[in-house]
Amino acid sequence: MEYIGIQAQKRRNDFRSMLLLFMFPCLVLGMVYIFFLLLAWLGFIEEAETEGHFWLSVNSVYLNSVPYVLGVVFVWFTIAYFLNTYIIKVSTGATTLERKKNKRVYNLVENLCMSQGMKIPKINIINDESLNAFASGINERTYTVTLSKGIIDRLKDEELEAVIAHELSHIRNHDVHLLIVSIVFVGVFSMVAQLAFSTISSLSGGSSKKKNDNSDGAVILVLFLAIIVALIGLLLATLMRFAISRKREYLADAGAAEMTKNPLALASALSKIAKDPNIEAVTREDVAQLFIQHPGNKAEGFIGNLGGIFATHPPIEKRIRILEQF
């Protein structure tokens, strides 16, 4: 696969990040409108006593809610912007890799960065014997390359250098910007669905004898509608994310081959990673997409088994074949 150029890829990913940022509130507002439509259809919204009363009632409630919805979206993105590094670090169990404990890794990272005129990112380690790595961050202050203990210990120098070059390519191409935005994008719908499901489970399992069955039934019905709408939003957001960032791994592989002038080293590293990519601490699918190879028990998780349509990573065998053709 021909590498399309650093600046072109940066501009493309910056545009896609902005597109996702624009699409997110639009999708949220659309899902909220569908939610109010369902509520009105079930009689939870009082109808206006005018012609076209159904739509008038829905539109009135919806328009009143728009400022609050946009406020929640703004708060969500503000929190994610300032806390994304911490959230990812906690979600993966990563800690800072100290230079005195592994000068080998620092030397590899620094040599690659100097050869490309890049600022040296932070380096983290995941205390897991499996083989995997990822890059994250939204600016030079937060750019981070994270490596598992297994990948540091079990790869040769040229293989580890190629993996690091792959992750630096993600940073150089601004893939990390796009991935962080997509994690935030998808996460809100997943959170709403989980909260609604947890509340339904709590209400359904209540043992109070004095509870009002009709009231609880209405609440459960509303929450069930929220789950349906959130899942629809999650599906649409996921489809948008995959459509926008499908080729990022191929481009990072090509960038690593260009950076190290040794594509076979990355091909060899990927072959070893494919045998043991599972990182036990990683349970969130949105965070899993950051890694060089999906860190779940299966190559792409449940969604990825549907013919590869929803896969966050291309088949690693195909990536190896392309590298071997360089």
Side-chain angles (χ1 to χ4, degrees), residues 26-36 189 228-234 236:
C26 294
L27 183 58
V28 171
L29 289 171
M31 292 299 100
V32 170
Y33 190 74
I34 291 174
F35 179 66
F36 285 139
F189 294 105
I228 293 175
V229 172
L231 290 177
I232 293 173
L234 178 60
L236 293 175

Side-chain angles (χ1 to χ4, degrees), residues 2 6 13 34 37 48 51 55 59 76 79 91 96 120 172 211 222 240 243 260 274 276 307 314:
E2 183 181 355
I6 300 169
N13 279 333
I34 291 174
L37 278 177
E51 188 177 353
W55 296 106
N59 291 337
W76 178 268
I79 293 173
S91 299
T96 301
I120 298 170
R172 186 177 64 169
K211 69 179 182 179
V222 171
M240 291 175 188
T260 63
D276 187 17

Side-chain angles (χ1 to χ4, degrees), residues 172-213:
R172 186 177 64 169
N173 295 343
H174 289 185
D175 290 335
V176 286
H177 298 178
L178 184 63
L179 290 170
I180 295 299
V181 171
S182 70
I183 288 173
V184 176
F185 192 179
V186 173
V188 66
F189 294 105
S190 176
M191 181 189 71
V192 171
Q194 290 175 7
L195 286 175
F197 182 78
S198 299
T199 305
I200 288 177
S201 299
S202 176
L203 290 174
S204 299
S207 58
S208 173
K209 295 180 180 180
K210 295 182 180 180
K211 69 179 182 179
N212 188 320
D213 292 336

Side-chain angles (χ1 to χ4, degrees), residues 23 36 52 62 107 111 136-137 198 244 258 302:
M23 291 165 63
F36 285 139
Y62 173 71
N107 288 338
N111 288 338
S136 60
S198 299
I244 285 175
E258 176 192 61
F302 173 75

